[in-house]
């Protein structure tokens, strides 16, 4: 295949796609807005699901590399109520299950699996213009211009490729996460370390939660979920000394070992507003362009998004490799399957989020885990 292929975005979806194409001897160029692989911290732990994330890594021929990254024992989970009472204590699954890896390590592994010049850093797509016959002109904010035969948007929530296919726009979900970090937890914050345990902590309540993960090097990485308007967050100065207190205000009567995950953070909290694409965002097959991952199906975090992005990348890579004579039918088959898969995942995720943030959330989570262990 001699077609020129551009993948916009070196997130997990775009990199996995490029890797599968590479395995099939197909060259693609990834254009990434960030200036380097280390320009931004890559976030926390991801549990990689058997049917999606792990399947994608198998397709990419990277299972043994992936296994080297697993943080064994980190997939245990505790659910606490607001008083710090342990309601669920789910042990780690040493046989695999949904192993945890650090997102940054996974991304680096994917980068290392590609030719050294596969990613062009510092290339932020400004817009893409159809030229006919499936070709597109790409305009980058650094002034570069390229024309390509196949364009794939793997550029996340605010995709600049998506407008070529649909007018759908992400909508604020009504909830934001606030990210905080407590370091040297065993020495400096033993009560918090004990509450979190060796894996994941979930302390849910209606419309809010404190969730945390223990990461390598004794770091407790927490997400506090709050149902508040975009305006409330816009008025909050996250760099101010007061920010942690204001975020923790809704948890005033909670146990100190939970609230401390916010108030004892050594760095200012980071705002992560949760946006979603409307349900059933689809588009008519369009020659020479498609999407993977959040660009195609952004939804509220439920532990699936990165897994689905990896899986999209694998399925699209295979569809391109297996249809050299008829790229358009390959893209269409990929999209039909992807739309169905992601709507089903979204339905499941919404059920899960209703349990996590619905009335009587702590008890509902307890029931959820007890049913899951029986099933
Ligand atoms: C708070 C939070 C917690 C989450 N936790 C989990 C979890 O535990 N498990 C899980 O599976 N999922 C989780 N997710 C979801 C997951 O992060 C996403 O679904 C996943 O990262 C999507 O991957 P992607 O490759 O599609 O996009 P992204 O990871 O967003 O990557 C897109 C890439 O494109 C680049 N880019 C963007 N615009 C441009 C442009 N114009 N030009 C060039 N490059 C561009 C970006 O810099 C980025 O590198 C969470 C999400 C949030 C917000």
């Amino acid at each position: 295949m001699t077609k020129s292929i551009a993948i916009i975005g070196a997130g997990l979806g775009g990199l996995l796609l490029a890797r599968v194409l590479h395995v099939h001897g197909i060259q693609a160029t990834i254009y990434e807005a960030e200036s380097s692989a280390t320009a931004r911290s890559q976030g926390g732990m991801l549990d990689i699901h058997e049917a999606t994330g792990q399947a994608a890594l198998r397709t990419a021929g990277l299972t043994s590399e992936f296994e080297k990254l697993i943080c064994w024992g980190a997939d245990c989970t505790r659910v606490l109520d607001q008083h710090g009472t342990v309601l669920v204590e789910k042990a780690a699954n040493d046989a695999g299950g949904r192993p945890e890896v650090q997102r940054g390590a996974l991304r680096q592994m994917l980068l290392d699996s590609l030719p050294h010049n596969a990613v062009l850093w510092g290339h932020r797509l400004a817009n893409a213009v159809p030229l006919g016959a499936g070709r597109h002109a790409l305009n980058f904010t650094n002034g570069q211009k390229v024309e390509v035969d196949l364009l794939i948007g793997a550029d996340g929530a605010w995709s600049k490729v998506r407008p070529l296919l649909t007018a759908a726009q992400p909508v604020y979900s009504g909830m934001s996460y606030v990210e905080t970090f407590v370091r040297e937890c065993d020495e400096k914050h033993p009560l918090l370390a004990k509450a979190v345990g060796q894996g994941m902590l979930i302390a849910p309540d209606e419309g809010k939660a404190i969730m945390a993960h223990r990461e390598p090097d004794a770091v407790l990485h927490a997400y506090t979920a709050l149902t508040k308007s975009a305006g409330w967050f816009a008025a909050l100065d996250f760099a101010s000394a007061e920010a942690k207190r204001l975020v923790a205000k809704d948890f005033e009567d909670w146990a100190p070992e939970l609230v401390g995950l916010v108030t004892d953070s050594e760095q200012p909290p980071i705002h992560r507003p949760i946006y979603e694409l409307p349900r059933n965002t689809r588009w008519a097959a369009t020659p020479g362009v498609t999407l993977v991952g959040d660009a195609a199906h952004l939804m509220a975090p439920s532990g699936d998004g990165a897994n689905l992005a990896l899986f999209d990348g694998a399925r699209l890579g295979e569809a391109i490799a297996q249809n050299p004579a008829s790229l358009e039918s390959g893209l269409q088959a990929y999209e039909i399957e992807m739309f169905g898969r992601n709507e089903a995942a979204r339905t499941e995720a919404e059920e899960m989020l209703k349990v996590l943030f619905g009335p009587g959330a702590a008890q509902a989570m307890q029931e959820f885990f007890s049913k899951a262990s029986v099933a």
Side-chain angles (χ1 to χ4, degrees):
M1 180 184 287
T2 51
K3 284 179 182 292
S4 53
I5 302 178
I7 300 170
I8 309 300
L12 297 179
L15 290 171
L16 201 292
L17 166 61
R19 165 68 188 181
V20 171
L21 292 175
H22 176 64
V23 165
H24 286 279
I26 301 169
Q27 199 239 323
T29 302
I30 305 178
Y31 296 90
E32 167 56 48
E34 289 173 1
S35 57
S36 75
T38 53
R40 175 175 60 91
S41 112
Q42 288 296 311
M45 307 282 279
L46 293 173
D47 60 318
I48 302 300
H49 304 180
E50 167 61 31
T52 48
Q54 290 182 48
L57 291 160
R58 264 196 303 282
T59 304
L62 292 171
T63 297
S64 61
E65 293 305 306
F66 160 69
E67 283 172 355
K68 291 182 200 155
L69 305 181
I70 294 174
C71 301
W72 293 104
D75 58 327
C76 54
T77 307
R78 329 182 77 199
V79 178
L80 273 61
D81 70 11
Q82 65 185 85
H83 309 295
T85 308
V86 179
L87 303 179
V88 174
E89 183 91 72
K90 183 175 155 289
N93 180 351
D94 293 334
R98 290 183 165 192
E100 299 274 349
V101 296
Q102 287 186 286
R103 182 195 281 259
L106 184 61
R107 188 190 196 218
Q108 191 57 51
M109 179 198 80
L110 290 170
L111 284 166
D112 292 343
S113 76
L114 293 170
H116 74 279
N117 55 355
V119 182
L120 294 184
W121 302 97
H123 281 66
R124 178 179 293 281
L125 184 72
N127 57 49
V129 182
L131 298 172
R135 287 178 58 76
H136 288 85
L138 310 183
N139 298 307
F140 294 93
T141 57
N142 63 6
Q144 298 276 316
K145 294 179 192 303
V146 188
E147 291 184 11
V148 294
D149 298 309
L150 175 58
L151 169 63
I152 295 135
D155 48 346
W158 302 102
S159 173
K160 296 286 187 193
V161 180
R162 190 192 300 125
L164 293 168
L165 297 169
T166 165
Q169 288 282 334
V171 176
Y172 180 58
S173 67
M175 179 171 268
S176 281
Y177 284 15
V178 178
E179 199 175 357
T180 48
F181 295 86
V182 171
R183 300 179 197 280
E184 296 178 67
C185 63
D186 299 315
E187 269 181 44
K188 294 190 178 165
H189 306 278
L191 284 181
L192 306 189
K194 185 162 176 262
V196 175
Q198 294 305 308
M200 186 172 190
L201 155 84
I202 308 171
D205 198 358
E206 189 168 354
K208 63 185 180 185
I210 295 178
M211 298 170 279
H213 225 130
R214 185 185 172 109
E215 294 182 351
D217 303 322
V219 174
L220 303 177
H221 182 174
Y223 285 108
T224 300
L226 284 172
T227 303
K228 301 239 182 244
S229 68
W232 188 87
F233 285 103
L236 205 161
D237 176 4
F238 278 87
S240 73
E242 223 198 353
K244 288 184 285 190
R245 192 184 61 74
L246 289 172
V247 169
K249 203 166 183 318
D250 283 26
F251 301 89
E252 264 171 353
D253 51 348
W254 284 38
E257 63 270 32
L258 296 173
V259 184
L261 291 162
V262 183
T263 52
D264 293 356
S265 179
E266 282 95 0
Q267 66 188 64
I270 304 166
H271 181 209
R272 304 278 183 212
I274 306 300
Y275 281 83
E276 297 177 294
L277 278 170
R279 281 204 73 128
N280 279 310
T281 295
R282 292 171 182 233
W283 53 88
T286 306
V289 56
T290 192
L291 306 174
V292 297
D294 280 3
H297 45 76
L298 179 69
M299 63 183 190
S302 61
D304 286 321
N307 284 279
L308 294 171
L310 289 166
F311 197 68
D312 285 355
R315 297 298 290 152
L316 179 57
E318 285 187 311
I320 295 169
Q322 288 163 6
N323 292 279
S326 170
L327 189 54
E328 297 320 323
S329 62
L331 294 191
Q332 196 170 5
Y334 156 77
E335 287 175 347
I336 290 168
E337 186 198 275
M338 184 263 289
F339 292 143
R341 175 173 63 248
N342 290 309
E343 273 308 303
R346 181 141 173 185
T347 302
E348 218 174 280
E350 285 175 357
E351 288 304 315
M352 173 73 229
L353 294 172
K354 267 191 224 159
V355 175
L356 181 59
F357 297 120
Q363 283 67 35
M365 282 297 279
Q366 190 175 19
E367 272 171 42
F368 172 85
F369 274 95
S370 72
K371 278 190 205 145
S373 69
V374 173

